Amino acid sequence: RAFMRAHGLRMHDRVRVRTPSGTTALVVRAVLDAPLGPAAALDGRLAVVDLSVAQDLLRLGDRVSRLAVVVDPGGDVDEVARRIAGRVGGRGTVAPPHERVASFARLLTNYRSGLGLAASVALLVALHFVTNVAAVACEARRREMALLRLVGASTRLGDALVVAEMFLVAAAATGIGVAAGILLARAVQARFGVG
C-alpha cells in the first residue's frame, strides 16, 4: 500500500518491473497492508506473485527456489522430510526451518559486528571532536583568563571555569544525544514491528 501510494497506483494498474527475462508489466490484483517484520525493511517494495508467474519472470522453467511445507499437528516431521527428500532426490535440499534461522543468525552476527566497528570509529571521531572543542575553548578563553589574572584571580579559577564550561557543553550534548537515540530506537521499533 505504501508503494502504491508513493507512485499513485490503483487496483488493476500495470506496474513495469525489470526481471532476468526483460522488462514486463504486472497487473495489481491485491494490496498488502503495512507489512511488519522483515518485509518492512523493504519499505513497501514487496510483491507477491503466483508460482507460475515467478517461474516465468525468473526463468526458472518448472523449478522453484524454495518451497515451505507445513506438517499437520501430530504429524511426523522426520517422516515427511524423508519422503520429500526421496521425491526431490539430488535436485534440491530438504532442511528444517531452524537451519535457515541459524544462517540468518550468522548474518545478524556479522551485521552486529559491523555496527560495533562503526560505533568504535564514531567514538574515536567524537573523542577527536571533543578534544578540538576543548582546545578551541581554551584558546578562546585565553584573553579572559589573562584579564582574570590581572585582577588577581588565580590560575586555578581560570582552569575551573574552562572545565565547568566543558562540563556543561558535554552534559547538554549527552542529554541531546541520549534523547535522540531513544527516539530513533522507538521509531525503528515502530517501523519494523520489533519488540
Side-chain angles (χ1 to χ4, degrees):
R1 191 177 299 278
F3 181 85
M4 290 179 66
R5 194 179 301 120
H7 293 83
L9 297 170
R10 295 189 304 270
M11 290 290 290
H12 307 296
D13 282 354
R14 292 181 173 270
V15 180
R16 295 186 66 77
V17 295
R18 188 175 297 148
T19 69
S21 53
T23 302
T24 186
L26 299 177
V27 179
V28 178
R29 301 281 185 207
V31 181
L32 296 172
D33 281 323
L36 296 176
L42 302 174
D43 196 28
R45 295 184 300 273
L46 176 71
V48 178
V49 297
D50 292 333
L51 179 60
S52 58
V53 174
Q55 288 171 331
D56 288 342
L57 292 177
L58 302 175
R59 292 182 175 173
L60 293 173
D62 293 333
R63 296 172 291 137
V64 293
S65 59
R66 180 172 294 172
L67 201 59
V69 177
V70 179
V71 180
D72 288 333
D76 186 357
V77 176
D78 293 331
E79 176 61 24
V80 171
R82 265 194 303 277
R83 292 177 70 178
I84 292 174
R87 186 57 91 75
V88 170
R91 299 186 306 269
T93 56
V94 179
H98 63 78
E99 289 188 13
R100 291 195 299 275
V101 170
S103 174
F104 190 65
R106 284 193 298 273
L107 178 67
L108 284 180
T109 301
N110 293 338
Y111 183 67
R112 191 176 293 124
S113 300
L115 286 178
L117 179 62
S120 300
V121 171
L123 180 62
L124 292 174
V125 170
L127 286 173
H128 179 70
F129 178 71
V130 168
T131 304
N132 282 344
V133 168
V136 167
C138 289
E139 188 64 32
R141 300 292 176 260
R142 181 178 289 189
R143 184 174 178 186
E144 287 92 346
M145 288 191 288
L147 289 173
L148 283 172
R149 274 194 234 109
L150 279 176
V151 295
S154 66
T155 306
R156 285 186 178 180
L157 177 62
D159 294 344
L161 289 174
V162 171
V163 169
E165 179 185 1
M166 290 307 302
F167 178 78
L168 289 174
V169 169
T174 301
I176 292 170
V178 168
I182 290 171
L183 290 175
L184 182 62
R186 286 183 179 164
V188 168
Q189 273 187 328
R191 180 71 179 99
F192 296 118
V194 178

